[in-house]
Amino acid sequence: MALKHESTAPYQSVQHALRVLDLVSRRGTGVTEPELSRETGLPADRLAPLLRMLRREGYVAQLTDAAYVTGDALNRLAAAHGRDQALRETLQQTLDRLRESLGAAIYVSRYIDGEVRITQCADGPLTPAVHEWVDFRKSAHASAVGKSLLGQLDLDGRRDHLARHRMARLTSRTITDERVLLNRLDAHPATVPVLDLQEYAVGTVCAAVPITAGSSAGALALSLPVEQAHRLREAADTLNREAAPVLLSLTL
């Protein structure tokens, strides 16, 4: 199985963030914003929002003289002991912030060993997670998460998955024709969120965006009750814009 590689804004933001973090890490006494701009080649109007994001996520901190140093989150990740737990906690904090700002349940999913897996979720009493009434591993053709992950595979990878998991009709809106699904996946732009309009479950709408890290396809998703379907596209666009911190957590 191979992944399709298409450049999107979150990936570019993460590349820039990694350059900034590398420079900040190497300058233990701090580095100013003009120095960061000069040495990374990032203009001030692009660097400023990137630094705000890195401060919010705890990757950098600003000293009283305006110089930037490594933040608590990055320092925890630099420690060999407990690194995996620190990564998970950092990512969970990011997902919790997205849940609060979007008013929706948030999910991270990865395509691991040929299967769809929800690896982390941020939900709550006012933002309940989707009821998994059909195993997500068997319903990739119907869910936003599944379609986003399948969309990142090459044609052989998609066909292999669909050969192992029959396209069952879960609701009246579920696509069950393999050719129709493959055509839609192939035509879907990488920069546009994938939507699930009650295809997986009646009463729920979802959206997902790709967050491929390394050789593993990934997706960041949200779900809303159908009564809030009017918010879905705007929430999906915001999710797409806010995907960089999640992708950065998976990349570090």
Side-chain angles (χ1 to χ4, degrees), residues 20 38 42 63 71 103 113 115 133 158 180 182-183 188 205 211 227 244:
V20 170
R38 182 173 63 253
L42 295 173
L63 303 177
D113 296 330
E115 300 293 353
W133 76 283
R158 296 172 187 173
V180 171
L182 291 175
N183 285 341
H188 194 88
V205 294
I211 50 169
E227 294 78 12

Side-chain angles (χ1 to χ4, degrees), residues 188-206:
H188 194 88
T191 55
V192 177
V194 177
L195 303 183
D196 160 15
L197 304 175
Q198 301 190 86
E199 295 172 53
Y200 172 76
V202 174
T204 302
V205 294
C206 306

Side-chain angles (χ1 to χ4, degrees), residues 5-237:
H5 295 282
E6 299 182 60
S7 178
T8 59
Y11 295 91
Q12 187 177 57
S13 295
V14 167
Q15 291 172 347
H16 293 163
L18 291 174
R19 285 160 58 187
V20 170
L21 292 178
D22 177 64
L23 183 57
V24 171
S25 297
R26 288 189 283 107
R27 297 282 191 86
T29 57
V31 54
T32 65
E33 193 165 335
E35 289 173 328
L36 283 169
S37 180
R38 182 173 63 253
E39 297 197 34
T40 62
L42 295 173
D45 61 345
R46 187 172 299 174
L47 180 61
L50 185 62
L51 287 170
R52 285 197 297 271
M53 182 271 284
L54 292 174
R55 288 181 64 188
R56 185 184 70 232
E57 300 298 322
Y59 292 119
V60 300
Q62 194 170 24
L63 303 177
T64 53
D65 63 357
Y68 287 90
V69 294
T70 56
D72 291 340
L74 193 62
N75 292 333
R76 288 197 303 271
L77 295 179
H81 178 69
R83 176 179 169 80
D84 289 345
Q85 181 64 25
L87 279 169
R88 188 171 183 84
E89 290 174 356
T90 299
L91 178 56
Q92 190 63 46
Q93 291 171 1
T94 299
L95 300 182
D96 289 342
R97 278 193 288 270
L98 280 174
R99 179 199 63 206
E100 291 299 319
S101 65
L102 293 176
I106 306 293
Y107 314 80
V108 170
S109 179
R110 306 296 293 273
Y111 196 73
I112 302 172
D113 296 330
E115 300 293 353
V116 173
R117 301 185 189 278
I118 304 295
T119 55
Q120 274 183 255
C121 173
D123 61 351
L126 300 180
T127 55
V130 175
H131 172 57
E132 189 177 356
W133 76 283
V134 175
D135 192 324
F136 288 134
R137 293 174 298 177
K138 300 179 179 179
S139 54
H141 65 290
S143 69
V145 158
K147 288 185 287 184
S148 180
L149 293 173
L150 290 178
Q152 296 171 61
L153 307 183
D154 61 13
L155 181 58
D156 288 341
R158 296 172 187 173
R159 284 176 169 165
D160 172 73
H161 184 93
L162 296 176
R164 291 182 287 109
H165 297 291
R166 185 175 64 87
M167 296 174 60
R169 184 174 298 281
L170 307 184
T171 76
S172 62
R173 295 174 176 265
T174 306
I175 299 172
T176 57
D177 186 309
E178 180 175 319
R179 184 174 60 179
V180 171
L181 178 65
L182 291 175
N183 285 341
R184 290 192 183 183
L185 291 175
D186 196 51
H188 194 88
T191 55
V192 177
V194 177
L195 303 183
D196 160 15
L197 304 175
Q198 301 190 86
E199 295 172 53
Y200 172 76
V202 174
T204 302
V205 294
C206 306
V209 297
I211 50 169
T212 301
S215 60
S216 176
L220 177 66
L222 65 82
S223 66
L224 292 167
V226 71
E227 294 78 12
Q228 298 181 35
H230 60 282
R231 295 205 299 118
L232 181 64
R233 292 188 182 276
E234 182 178 355
D237 289 339

